[in-house]
Amino acid sequence: MKILQKARQFLSLNKELFAAAGAGGGSKGKRFWLYAESLGEFRLALHVVENIKSISAGDKNEPPALFFISFKTYSVLSLAQKTAGQEGGSGDIRYFFHPWPGFAPVLKKYAAAIKPDCFISVQRRVSKKLIKLLSGIGAKTVFLGIDALPMSLKFISCVNAAECGAAGNGAGKGNSGGPVVVSFVSIHKKEAGFILNLAGEIVSGGGSASSPRNSNLKFIFVPRNIKYARGLFKKAAAKGLRPVYYAGGGMDAFLKDASSSSLIVGEYGVTGEVYGASDIVYVGKSLFESEKGGHNVLEPALYGKPVLTGRYAVNFSDIISEMQKRGALILTGETEFRQSIEELIENEELRKETGNRGLDFCMEKGKEFKNHLKSYIAENII
């Protein structure tokens, strides 16, 4: 998105925020500013808010608190708007969107407007100038970082394991009746091309003498950057994958549409729907060293779905190692990628076993994480 477009959207989304922040609805309660740049951090921020509310509810003499969550990515913006039901936030939570570094000076005005009692940075460093400013207005500063808890903050994904597992139960029946649905989520440019070629070969039966043509398959492609969605659509069409774009309103239409075999997702905030509809999920930015990093493997596991990821998912190596030891995830590479996918496609029992182990792992970690986070908030923030 061009800078001018970003500026216009920033102004449109935040034009009433400062007045609302200053007024605060007349509330005399404590003010918490949570700085959460990206999607996982935003979800953690929401959970921190709920914990603060829950712990504070026991003090009848304390007025309800106000919460301000700031972020900078468009994927978070999409989720925030759906969470709030309206732009800018609602009720006791307000949102502040600052999509590029040129808006950094506005943070100073933002801090002066909301006058937070406590500033919580979720897994991010902030400038010394901002820290000095916050200190000057008497705000307590908390860095909820990697070392804040005795377990990784990445396990925040697991706190709703039971709900997600129920949502995923029965979705994507696979060989029991409907097509087997294979999703490739958060894929980057190079691996997207590799995966599309492979999907075309699997469907046509090409490239492998032992693999017959498989017409009982559907694929879902979710690029990490939605600007690549159009390119994926064109490549999928060229490979004979009969693509359609995700149009909202659930996955049922795609699953029942016999005329299409692939879905291209060109918007943020719908991965939950994708996971629920899938039988197999590959988590990207992990297949090639040039695109190393990885994305959250816990989220699809929450839905009880078998998860694959590549060996270059270095940002989640600790979690992946633990899941792999428990048979809760399949680690793969470029040379064995097709074999890993086809084994899951053909073996429904393996899909169920791997998915159930992943869900059990997430439920266990979710309970552990909830206890650690609640104790930390009670001791260090409230």
Side-chain angles (χ1 to χ4, degrees):
M1 186 176 289
K2 295 180 179 179
I3 291 176
L4 183 58
Q5 289 176 303
K6 287 185 176 182
R8 286 174 177 168
Q9 188 164 16
F10 166 79
L11 293 171
S12 173
L13 290 171
N14 294 292
K15 62 183 179 180
E16 297 178 358
L17 180 62
F18 292 102
S27 173
K28 302 296 184 182
K30 288 183 179 179
R31 295 179 171 218
F32 295 88
W33 175 9
L34 294 92
Y35 179 61
E37 283 195 6
S38 60
L39 202 57
E41 293 152 11
F42 177 76
R43 291 192 176 110
L44 177 54
L46 289 176
H47 194 67
V48 169
V49 167
E50 291 306 312
N51 269 271
I52 293 174
K53 287 182 182 180
S54 175
I55 296 170
S56 301
D59 188 352
K60 302 300 181 183
N61 296 319
E62 183 71 26
L66 281 173
F67 301 92
F68 305 87
I69 304 179
S70 63
F71 49 86
K72 64 186 296 184
T73 67
Y74 283 87
S75 55
V76 178
L77 173 62
S78 176
L79 179 59
Q81 289 174 324
K82 291 178 181 179
T83 302
Q86 62 180 1
E87 294 177 351
S90 61
D92 54 4
I93 303 177
R94 305 295 301 180
Y95 298 139
F96 174 49
F97 177 53
H98 47 101
W100 67 293
F103 295 134
V106 184
L107 292 176
K108 182 177 181 179
K109 293 183 179 180
Y110 185 63
I114 66 176
K115 297 181 177 64
D117 296 289
C118 182
F119 172 82
I120 304 169
S121 180
V122 183
Q123 286 190 292
R124 295 283 175 173
R125 294 181 179 180
V126 297
S127 70
K128 292 180 179 179
K129 288 183 179 180
L130 181 57
I131 294 174
K132 185 177 180 180
L133 173 66
L134 291 164
S135 177
I137 60 178
K140 181 179 181 179
T141 303
V142 177
F143 291 93
L144 192 54
I146 295 172
D147 299 326
L149 300 172
M151 65 187 301
S152 173
L153 288 175
K154 296 167 187 172
F155 284 111
I156 181 62
S157 302
C158 296
V159 297
N160 296 317
E163 292 86 345
C164 291
N169 185 33
K173 293 295 184 180
N175 292 329
S176 298
V180 177
V181 181
V182 186
S183 298
F184 303 94
V185 178
S186 291
I187 52 177
H188 286 239
K189 199 169 183 179
K190 183 178 179 180
E191 68 183 344
F194 175 86
I195 288 168
L196 280 164
N197 287 335
L198 182 64
E201 289 179 0
I202 291 174
V203 169
S204 67
S208 174
S210 62
S211 298
R213 178 182 176 87
N214 195 331
S215 59
N216 198 33
L217 286 174
K218 281 184 176 285
F219 299 100
I220 302 176
F221 300 100
V222 186
R224 182 66 180 96
N225 191 326
I226 60 174
K227 72 179 182 180
Y228 297 127
R230 181 177 297 182
L232 287 179
F233 188 96
K234 291 180 179 179
K235 290 178 181 178
K239 294 296 178 182
L241 296 175
R242 297 174 294 158
V244 293
Y245 282 113
Y246 172 82
M251 295 287 170
D252 285 348
F254 167 66
L255 297 176
K256 295 175 181 177
D257 183 7
S259 65
S260 62
S261 58
S262 65
L263 181 72
I264 310 299
V265 178
E267 60 181 88
Y268 294 119
V270 298
T271 51
E273 291 182 48
V274 172
Y275 298 145
S278 301
D279 294 287
I280 302 164
V281 179
Y282 167 75
V283 180
K285 200 186 179 184
S286 60
L287 199 57
F288 299 106
E289 187 174 12
S290 60
E291 294 177 335
K292 68 181 179 181
H295 291 292
N296 197 333
V297 294
L298 295 167
E299 291 179 357
L302 284 166
Y303 287 79
K305 305 307 169 78
V307 178
L308 300 95
T309 196
R311 291 192 171 84
Y312 293 105
V314 294
N315 293 340
F316 289 83
S317 58
D318 52 343
I319 292 173
I320 289 169
S321 176
E322 193 171 352
M323 291 181 72
Q324 189 183 20
K325 289 175 183 177
R326 296 173 60 163
L329 173 144
I330 295 172
L331 193 63
T332 189
E334 180 183 358
T335 56
E336 68 270 30
F337 191 78
R338 177 168 182 164
Q339 180 182 346
S340 300
I341 290 287
E342 289 188 326
E343 188 175 4
L344 284 169
I345 290 172
E346 296 163 7
N347 191 334
E348 185 176 5
E349 192 59 35
L350 177 61
R351 295 200 302 269
K352 288 181 179 179
E353 289 177 359
T354 307
N356 286 336
R357 289 183 189 128
L359 178 57
D360 289 344
F361 176 83
C362 289
M363 292 184 73
E364 175 188 316
K365 293 298 181 179
K367 291 178 182 177
E368 187 179 350
F369 184 87
K370 280 183 180 180
N371 292 332
H372 285 312
L373 183 60
K374 189 172 184 178
S375 296
Y376 179 85
I377 290 172
E379 295 172 7
N380 297 279
I381 296 178
I382 297 179

